[in-house]
């Protein structure tokens, strides 16, 4: 069984949910800085670098072209 501890939209890092929404707070400085900018448009490079640093997984460009697994579980 897997639990979502913290879930967030990388482009809206202040909006977090899950069983412990604050669990990643110390790791989201770069995303919060992006959110506070007035410049338009997302910064996917910073978002992906944050994801890589949290998971230890490397997301190369081919990752986005491959089908990805998804498990959606009904919440009560």
């Amino acid at each position: 069984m897997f639990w979502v501890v913290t879930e967030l939209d990388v482009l809206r890092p202040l909006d977090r949910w899950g069983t412990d929404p604050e669990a990643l707070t110390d790791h989201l400085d770069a995303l919060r800085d992006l959110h506070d900018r007035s410049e338009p448009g997302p910064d996917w490079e910073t978002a992906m670098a944050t994801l890589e640093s949290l998971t230890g997984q490397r997301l190369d460009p081919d990752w986005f072209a491959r089908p990805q697994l998804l498990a959606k579980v009904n919440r009560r």
Side-chain angles (χ1 to χ4, degrees):
M1 180 178 288
F2 296 96
W3 297 98
V4 174
V5 175
T6 303
E7 187 173 352
L8 64 118
D9 179 335
V10 295
L11 300 179
R12 298 182 63 181
L14 301 177
D15 298 334
R16 296 182 298 265
W17 56 96
T19 58
D20 186 1
E22 301 301 317
L24 299 177
T25 298
D26 293 341
H27 304 279
L28 301 176
D29 290 337
L31 291 177
R32 280 195 302 272
D33 289 346
L34 285 174
H35 183 266
D36 293 341
R37 286 188 198 168
S38 60
E39 298 171 15
D43 183 338
W44 289 107
E45 294 84 1
T46 300
M48 292 299 102
T50 300
L51 180 64
E52 287 179 349
S53 73
L54 287 169
T55 64
Q57 298 297 309
R58 175 82 175 118
L59 299 177
D60 58 30
D62 291 337
W63 184 89
F64 297 97
R66 292 190 305 264
Q68 301 300 320
L69 296 176
L70 169 71
K72 189 171 183 176
V73 179
N74 291 330
R75 296 182 185 182
R76 294 181 185 191

